[in-house]
């Protein structure tokens, strides 16, 4: 059974969620280095990825709106948009599930702040919860 990891970053105003292994590793490295804003690199990376994805979508949309585009190219563009829509739906469902899990994990953490690394398991899956407190920083 594969274990997915969700990290909660506890701040004075609540918590944020990280689900991406690379982002969790970046946060750990930033904390190890003692960076003042350990989420800065993650936010910057997300911004760049969003910009890249938006530019790509704009390019394909522009290409498809041209009057004399080969049918095979139009077909590939349409397939790309359909794939992107499916991926967006999947991401949204994954984000909603992570939010539910994170809310429950945060309740556990509030009850016992010493629990910063634990598993939540169901009949067919398990999620490792890692909690990083930036509230004291």
């Amino acid at each position: 059974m594969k274990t997915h990891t969700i990290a909660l970053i506890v701040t004075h105003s609540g918590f944020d969620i990280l689900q991406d292994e690379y982002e969790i590793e970046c946060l750990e490295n930033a904390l190890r280095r003692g960076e003042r804003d350990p989420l800065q690199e993650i936010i910057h990376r997300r911004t760049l990825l969003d910009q890249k994805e938006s530019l790509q979508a704009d390019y394909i949309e522009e290409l498809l709106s041209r009057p004399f585009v080969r049918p095979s190219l139009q077909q590939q563009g349409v397939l790309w948009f359909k794939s992107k829509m499916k991926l967006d739906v999947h991401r949204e469902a994954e984000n909603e599930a992570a939010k539910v899990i994170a809310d429950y994990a945060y309740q556990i953490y509030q009850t016992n702040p010493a629990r910063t690394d634990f598993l939540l398991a169901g009949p067919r899956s398990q999620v490792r919860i890692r909690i990083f407190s930036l509230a004291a920083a």
Side-chain angles (χ1 to χ4, degrees):
M1 175 181 331
K2 184 170 178 359
T3 302
H4 185 72
T5 301
I6 293 178
L8 276 65
I9 293 75
V10 178
T11 62
H12 292 292
S13 59
F15 67 89
D16 289 318
I17 303 168
L18 298 179
Q19 310 176 58
D20 183 85
E21 294 291 334
Y22 177 80
E23 289 183 351
I24 295 170
E25 188 177 323
C26 283
L27 175 67
E28 286 180 302
N29 291 336
L31 289 171
R32 233 180 268 117
R33 290 188 303 265
E35 290 185 16
R36 211 177 100 156
D37 185 4
L39 295 173
Q40 180 181 3
E41 182 180 341
I42 295 166
I43 293 168
H44 179 70
R45 179 179 177 263
R46 285 180 180 178
T47 302
L48 290 177
L49 289 173
D50 286 346
Q51 288 173 349
K52 181 180 176 184
E53 189 173 300
S54 181
L55 285 172
Q56 186 175 15
D58 290 347
Y59 173 74
I60 292 173
E61 184 178 349
E62 179 189 333
L63 192 63
L64 290 176
S65 67
R66 291 183 183 164
F68 300 106
V69 175
R70 286 190 320 240
S72 62
L73 193 55
Q74 287 177 336
Q75 195 172 34
Q76 287 298 316
V78 170
L79 289 174
W80 183 88
F81 273 113
K82 285 181 179 180
S83 175
K84 183 184 179 327
M85 288 173 32
K86 285 180 185 178
L87 184 59
D88 288 346
V89 167
H90 176 74
R91 281 182 190 158
E92 184 61 34
E94 191 176 70
N95 288 341
E96 287 176 22
K99 178 72 171 124
V100 169
I101 293 167
D103 285 338
Y104 181 68
Y106 187 62
Q107 290 174 9
I108 292 171
Y109 173 74
Q110 286 181 312
T111 304
N112 182 0
R115 293 192 72 186
T116 58
D117 193 345
F118 56 93
L119 286 177
L120 295 176
R124 294 182 293 181
S125 62
Q126 60 184 16
V127 178
R128 180 180 180 197
I129 304 297
R130 303 201 47 214
I131 300 177
F132 300 91
S133 179
L134 301 183

